[in-house]
Amino acid sequence: MSTNIPNTFSRRDFLRTSALAGGGMLIGFNLITACKEKAEMPVDIASLNFNDFNAFIKIADNGYVTIYSPNPEIGQGVKTSMPMIIAEELDVPWDHVNVEQGKLDTENFQRQVAGGSQSIRFGWDALRQTGATTRQMLVNAAAARWGVEASTCSTKQGVITNAKGETLGYGDVVKEAAALEVPEGVTLKEPKDYTIIGHDAVNVDIEKIVTGKPLFGLDYKKEGMLYAAILRPPSFGKKLVSFDDTEAKKVDGVTDVVRFGEKAIALRSANAWVAGMLGQSDKIAVVATSTWQAMKGRDALKAVWEDGSPMESTEGHDDELIKILDGSNLNTLRKDGDVKKAFAKADATLERTYESPFLPHACMEPMNFFADVTADKVHLVGPIQTPAGTAQSVAGMLGRDPKDIHLEMTRMGGGFGRRLYGDFAIEAAELSAKINKPVKMVCTREDDIGIGVYRPGIKYRIKAGVKDGKVTSYHLKEACINSNMYGLIPHFFPAGAIENYQVDAGNYKSNITTGAWRAPYTHFLAFAEQAFFDELAEMMEIDPVQLRLDLLQNVKGHKDENIQYEPKRMEDVINLAVEKSGYRNKKDGVFQGFCAYYCHNTHVAEVADVVIENDKPVVKKVTVAVDCGIVVNPTGAKNQIEGGVIDGIGHAMYGDLSFSNGTPNAQNYDKYRLIRMKEAPEVETHFVENELSPTGLGEPALPPAVAAIAIAINQATGKRLYKQPFANKLEVKELIG
Amino acid sequence: MESFTIKVNGETKTVQADADTPLLWVLRDHLDLVGTKFGCGIAQCGACTVHIDGEAARSCLLPISSVGEGAVTTIEGLSEKGDHALQEAWKEVDVPQCGYCQAGQIMTAAAFLEKNPSPSTDEIKDAMHGNICRCASYQRIHKAVKIASEKLS
């Protein structure tokens, strides 16, 4: 368990300073590694060098602070919360802090990735230490000017005070501070003294968002920039043979029609991570002076396609995945005891299969990227969750020195995992290199959903055995398209709680591109596992909450380093959710479903309230109890939880991307249904209060919501749900209201 | 291409565009008003919502040739200083996550509150049901519309 005990920090090589030519002090720092010996600090803001530093802080001579925030913003709030941590230890008023998105030109970057709810968890120590070290340098500078011991001075709200009561503002001493040695052994604040962390801070971009200022990739413009629409294969498996661009070239404003993609195909075979829309066929780009003209030109193309690889369908996938579950050709990811023997000895067993379809990410901002490839440099601008990896891929594809790649991140109109894959940036770069012009590639919604990257279809089969009133065995099998659960997921609950325990996984290789989707694997695994435990408790005739608490007792005191969920923290969230939801004091006509889950280092318990209205089950409310350690920004944290819960419910209820002949049957929001306002329940969030290091919140609230509503719907209707989307099974159109 | 003269945010603008160009792309590409967003192109998500003579309209399906004399208002022209009651309420409630759909949400709500300044909870839900927020900030959108309505009425 990581604690927040203030520590002395002996590493000083992570931070460098300089005096800015125009006045003020600049601090460059690295979140994880030491600064390179030869890393030089710039002396003007125009030449911030993100090759050597992850992020910078400027303290102007009026005391105002600008933080060049290091992590990509996809809506998870780190552009606000990470600077809050620096500002807290720097001890400045939050309204004197301005936050700008850091640019990226880096080859040695450690974690400039938005994904896995890890930004805050990884940044916590380094961000605090950066703030505290800078504060100490300012104090040291003031103390030197006064000729007093630094230890006799204190700071508050950007002002340094000595024993005589004399004061200096931070801005007054920046010049001297910039020239001082970086101190070691700085002391961090006690959580009780926090004035910024734990207090609501509104999204730092809110003014721009509500007034429509350019922020997103799609909003980016550069003089002379052209727009490109790309004709990609109509289905997974088709390859381009030839095309006729006569009509396309007649469209006003069309400047180029080019066949391209061979470089991306070569890259894909070398680096599957950037798969996406790349790599199964050449494509045709129509380049024009405006987005609409490019799209019109694209629609006027006549292309001939041939069958390259099999055109797959959902029925085929279902058969293949069930075959995997029925067969014996699976990899064992964890094995305790002997489940087969335990099943043979059991008084009773329960076996259930849970199924879910492909899902698109359906980010509101369609994929897009700007590229300007010239002899001097490669300028890339756009929304990307993996800027460093994408820059490296582009360098590899174009055969350029990584130093030539200048990638600027924009705010992102949603990510959910889709923008981990840089395929759209790579397309833009290959196209710009081919036509020698600055160009922005813009996808339509149909491009995005029709031939993108998807959360793959998954099926779980779970079997448990009960002997003498105890769960003695648990066997989970996973069958998934293309990939399987990874890392420590096989060691999540109930690993360690059941004597005979096994997790097996197998996959079917498809030509449909698949990838991470918000809370990878756990977004569906949590439903399967927790809905199973609810049914198991029913079979055992014990209270479902008590079943979880009993199992958690078995994990206490374990010495298995793969098991990272903490029984005590899980109990705390369970008890808080039970208390706040009134689970033990049921109201007439309200049916409740309980779920507890740990993923992405955060413990969450949820209770869903379902009522029957007009003979239909309606989810009215979800009560959430969360232990994410110290809550950096409560309003932002709650926003993530509210969104995660409703997102989880929406996709479980309606999300369905089935395939016929290699093509998704839904390509836009008319057929691919997303949850809307009338279907969204109230979400009420409660935090477990402690002083433990913070963990992320972009993902952990989503997975348990699905099981909670499924269990509550069963309470209300007597129908167990095993297959997503649930709305199909319930045969109602407007289920949640 | 043809020449079209339209009224946007109180100014008269002339653009060269094909007659079938949706107003959305004229605003974004020709007039640099990028606050109006592209989400689906088929009037399903509401990210492209603007006002034409005060009525909410989906600009992604509205050809420039049919705008005519209609006065177009975009998020950039909703208020002079970004202080419309809805914009203030959005800040107060800290509504956005990714923020991409929010201009469309605000424009839909603004046209709605003009007609119904004191809506009920269900009326707000009905009015906002057509706008998708992929981050699912619905609870806060609802709250912000409610707060703005209380200030306006």
Side-chain angles (χ1 to χ4, degrees):
Chain A
M1 189 181 291
S2 44
T3 66
N4 182 52
I5 297 165
N7 54 10
T8 53
F9 189 51
S10 59
R11 269 182 56 212
R12 59 178 175 186
D13 53 5
F14 76 107
L15 184 149
R16 296 273 168 86
T17 61
S18 68
L20 286 165
M25 172 188 188
L26 187 70
I27 299 99
F29 65 97
N30 273 333
L31 283 173
I32 296 170
T33 57
C35 297
K36 282 187 284 189
E37 220 168 282
K38 59 181 179 186
E40 280 189 24
M41 280 293 292
V43 293
D44 65 274
I45 293 298
S47 51
L48 292 185
N49 163 13
F50 288 91
N51 274 319
D52 292 327
F53 299 95
N54 290 159
F56 292 92
I57 304 167
K58 183 183 89 175
I59 304 174
D61 47 19
N62 64 2
Y64 276 68
V65 176
T66 305
I67 297 172
Y68 299 87
S69 174
N71 262 44
E73 179 61 76
I74 52 175
Q76 83 283 41
V78 294
K79 194 173 169 185
T80 307
S81 56
M82 293 181 82
M84 286 173 75
I85 299 170
I86 296 174
E88 179 69 65
E89 291 291 349
L90 186 55
D91 211 7
V92 289
W94 179 241
D95 59 6
H96 288 192
V97 177
N98 181 32
V99 179
E100 290 189 22
Q101 178 73 60
K103 291 182 185 179
L104 175 80
D105 305 324
T106 182
E107 64 202 60
N108 64 343
F109 194 78
Q110 295 295 321
R111 189 174 171 86
Q112 196 162 10
V113 175
S117 297
Q118 300 299 319
S119 302
I120 288 291
R121 184 168 162 256
F122 276 110
W124 174 242
D125 284 330
L127 294 167
R128 284 187 303 155
Q129 283 149 359
T130 299
T133 304
T134 307
R135 188 195 72 93
Q136 190 62 50
M137 291 178 79
L138 294 160
V139 169
N140 291 353
R145 192 188 293 183
W146 284 320
V148 303
E149 284 292 322
S151 60
T152 64
C153 303
S154 62
T155 60
K156 193 177 180 184
Q157 300 276 300
V159 176
I160 306 155
T161 306
N162 67 18
K164 288 188 242 167
E166 294 168 320
T167 60
L168 283 167
Y170 283 2
D172 300 329
V173 294
V174 282
K175 197 172 174 193
E176 293 133 275
L180 293 178
E181 283 249 324
V182 176
E184 289 187 17
V186 298
T187 304
L188 300 177
K189 280 188 182 178
E190 296 276 356
K192 68 177 171 51
D193 298 325
Y194 286 161
T195 58
I196 295 173
I197 292 173
H199 300 266
D200 287 346
V202 170
N203 187 325
V204 293
D205 279 336
I206 191 127
E207 197 71 44
K208 290 176 184 165
I209 290 169
V210 302
T211 53
K213 296 284 185 301
L215 274 177
F216 299 91
L218 206 69
D219 303 341
Y220 179 80
K221 287 186 183 185
K222 190 176 179 181
E223 203 175 333
M225 178 182 93
L226 297 167
Y227 300 81
I230 296 177
L231 186 65
R232 302 179 181 84
S235 44
F236 288 93
K238 294 277 190 199
K239 288 178 106 164
L240 180 64
V241 178
S242 61
F243 66 98
D244 175 355
D245 60 7
T246 314
E247 295 303 313
K249 283 185 166 165
K250 287 181 190 165
V251 173
D252 272 353
V254 169
T255 60
D256 303 82
V257 180
V258 291
R259 179 174 182 154
F260 78 111
E262 61 275 18
K263 285 186 174 169
I265 291 171
L267 181 68
R268 186 184 191 219
S269 57
N271 185 359
W273 176 245
V274 292
M277 292 179 279
L278 296 176
Q280 298 187 6
S281 166
D282 284 1
K283 296 159 270 200
I284 311 154
V286 176
V287 183
T289 51
S290 71
T291 314
W292 182 249
Q293 302 307 118
M295 288 176 180
K296 272 178 80 169
R298 192 262 301 263
D299 292 347
L301 286 171
K302 292 183 182 70
V304 179
W305 308 92
E306 66 177 4
D307 293 357
S309 52
M311 258 56 77
E312 299 182 2
S313 295
T314 295
E315 292 73 23
H317 290 154
D318 283 346
D319 290 347
E320 294 293 343
L321 294 183
I322 291 292
K323 262 191 239 166
I324 289 171
L325 294 178
D326 289 343
S328 54
N329 194 18
L330 294 142
N331 294 318
T332 297
L333 304 180
R334 181 180 171 111
K335 188 174 192 291
D336 300 335
D338 188 328
V339 289
K340 272 190 185 163
K341 275 190 190 166
F343 289 144
K345 288 184 194 163
D347 299 330
T349 60
L350 179 71
E351 183 178 85
R352 292 289 181 261
T353 302
Y354 299 87
E355 302 176 75
S356 71
F358 278 77
L359 296 177
H361 301 81
C363 310
M364 287 304 286
E365 180 189 13
M367 297 307 111
N368 66 87
F369 228 82
F370 168 82
D372 187 11
V373 179
T374 62
D376 290 344
K377 67 171 188 176
V378 178
H379 186 204
L380 301 170
V381 185
I384 181 77
Q385 282 174 267
T386 49
T390 297
Q392 281 164 9
S393 294
V394 169
M397 175 180 74
L398 298 178
R400 300 285 294 250
D401 186 330
K403 285 197 165 68
D404 290 350
I405 314 292
H406 298 259
L407 191 151
E408 289 179 44
M409 283 176 292
T410 59
R411 195 178 176 88
M412 292 173 239
F416 312 105
R418 177 64 184 90
R419 289 187 229 270
L420 291 168
Y421 308 95
D423 49 293
F424 38 87
I426 288 161
E427 278 185 338
E430 187 177 0
L431 178 60
S432 174
K434 187 131 191 166
I435 63 174
N436 275 313
K437 290 170 188 169
V439 63
K440 180 152 70 178
M441 188 285 290
V442 179
C443 283
T444 60
R445 179 60 51 200
E446 289 81 2
D447 296 333
D448 235 19
I449 297 184
I451 188 148
V453 177
Y454 313 100
R455 192 298 294 268
I458 308 180
K459 299 191 197 301
Y460 287 108
R461 182 170 292 160
I462 309 177
K463 184 177 181 182
V466 176
K467 175 85 176 164
D468 300 330
K470 302 247 184 276
V471 184
T472 52
S473 50
Y474 182 92
H475 188 188
L476 181 138
K477 293 182 191 176
E478 176 183 88
C480 183
I481 308 285
N482 287 340
S483 57
N484 287 110
M485 66 166 83
Y486 56 89
L488 292 175
I489 298 174
H491 310 280
F492 284 5
F493 181 86
I498 298 171
E499 197 180 344
N500 302 287
Y501 172 94
Q502 188 167 329
V503 174
D504 296 333
N507 62 62
Y508 167 78
K509 294 291 181 204
S510 167
N511 60 5
I512 297 169
T513 45
T514 54
W517 193 96
R518 192 178 194 176
Y521 295 95
T522 59
H523 56 231
F524 182 57
L525 177 60
F527 157 65
E529 169 201 303
Q530 289 288 301
F532 182 82
F533 274 108
D534 190 73
E535 195 167 350
L536 191 64
E538 186 180 68
M539 185 184 91
M540 295 168 71
E541 297 180 337
I542 65 168
D543 174 71
V545 176
Q546 195 58 46
L547 176 61
R548 265 65 148 225
L549 291 171
D550 290 347
L551 288 168
L552 286 170
Q553 285 299 321
N554 303 340
V555 194
K556 288 187 176 168
H558 74 82
K559 298 213 165 31
D560 183 339
E561 63 183 26
N562 284 323
I563 295 178
Q564 296 201 337
Y565 70 94
E566 298 175 35
K568 174 67 173 64
R569 296 181 85 171
M570 195 65 101
E571 284 173 0
D572 287 349
V573 293
I574 290 174
N575 292 332
L576 187 60
V578 165
E579 178 205 329
K580 297 294 184 184
S581 65
Y583 190 78
R584 299 292 183 209
N585 309 297
K586 292 192 188 330
K587 286 187 218 154
D588 282 350
V590 178
F591 302 91
Q592 292 187 307
F594 165 86
C595 175
Y597 202 69
Y598 162 91
C599 63
H600 302 279
N601 312 95
T602 300
H603 299 72
V604 181
E606 298 181 13
V607 174
D609 293 2
V610 163
V611 300
I612 298 290
E613 286 178 356
N614 304 321
D615 294 330
K616 291 171 192 164
V618 175
V619 183
K620 279 293 190 194
K621 183 177 173 182
V622 179
T623 306
V624 187
V626 180
D627 179 355
C628 58
I630 289 171
V631 181
V632 176
N633 183 11
T635 177
K638 285 180 188 165
N639 214 346
Q640 289 304 303
I641 290 162
E642 291 159 12
V645 166
I646 297 171
D647 187 10
I649 294 172
H651 281 88
M653 290 297 298
Y654 313 117
D656 190 5
L657 196 78
S658 60
F659 281 80
S660 298
N661 294 316
T663 307
N665 294 317
Q667 311 240 339
N668 204 329
Y669 297 142
D670 53 343
K671 290 190 179 153
Y672 187 77
R673 182 173 174 189
L674 287 167
I675 193 165
R676 291 170 183 262
M677 184 173 277
K678 281 200 278 187
E679 298 133 2
E682 177 194 352
V683 179
E684 184 182 292
T685 302
H686 301 274
F687 295 104
V688 173
E689 286 184 26
N690 60 38
E691 293 187 355
L692 302 172
S693 296
T695 56
L697 281 172
E699 288 155 309
L702 187 153
V706 182
I709 66 155
I711 294 164
I713 290 170
N714 174 58
Q715 291 289 318
T717 65
K719 278 185 188 175
R720 289 278 175 193
L721 299 166
Y722 301 103
K723 188 169 186 174
Q724 292 181 4
F726 298 154
N728 288 354
K729 164 83 174 170
L730 294 161
E731 292 169 350
V732 289
K733 292 283 182 225
E734 300 288 334
L735 199 67
I736 295 183
Chain B
M1 292 194 198
E2 297 169 49
S3 183
F4 295 94
T5 299
I6 58 171
K7 282 187 266 181
V8 182
N9 298 334
E11 292 178 37
T12 301
K13 302 277 184 186
T14 299
V15 296
Q16 301 295 318
D18 277 359
D20 59 358
T21 309
L23 174 62
L24 168 70
W25 295 113
V26 172
L27 294 170
R28 292 186 56 84
D29 290 355
H30 298 257
L31 300 176
D32 285 341
L33 294 167
V34 295
T36 306
K37 298 301 190 221
F38 172 50
C40 67
I42 56 168
Q44 288 287 316
C45 76
C48 67
T49 304
V50 298
H51 298 172
I52 311 266
D53 293 330
E55 297 274 347
R58 301 279 161 102
S59 65
C60 72
L61 275 189
L62 187 75
I64 183 68
S65 57
S66 68
V67 174
E69 291 293 306
V72 179
T73 308
T74 69
I75 186 72
E76 291 91 342
L78 181 64
S79 62
E80 236 173 77
K81 296 176 180 165
D83 56 357
H84 185 282
L86 281 161
Q87 289 166 314
E88 292 295 325
W90 243 249
K91 291 180 237 176
E92 185 181 330
V93 179
D94 191 26
V95 173
Q97 289 180 41
C98 86
Y100 191 81
C101 74
Q102 300 295 349
Q105 304 275 1
I106 291 170
M107 294 308 284
T108 299
F112 165 64
L113 290 184
E114 278 292 319
K115 286 193 174 147
N116 185 354
S118 308
S120 68
T121 294
D122 284 348
E123 285 171 338
I124 294 173
K125 286 188 175 181
D126 280 338
M128 302 307 296
H129 193 70
N131 284 63
I132 294 172
C133 173
R134 175 67 183 82
C135 303
S137 65
Y138 295 119
Q139 188 163 327
R140 293 185 183 215
I141 292 170
H142 187 276
K143 190 174 171 188
V145 176
K146 188 83 189 159
I147 287 172
S149 74
E150 284 160 5
K151 283 184 184 160
L152 285 171
S153 59

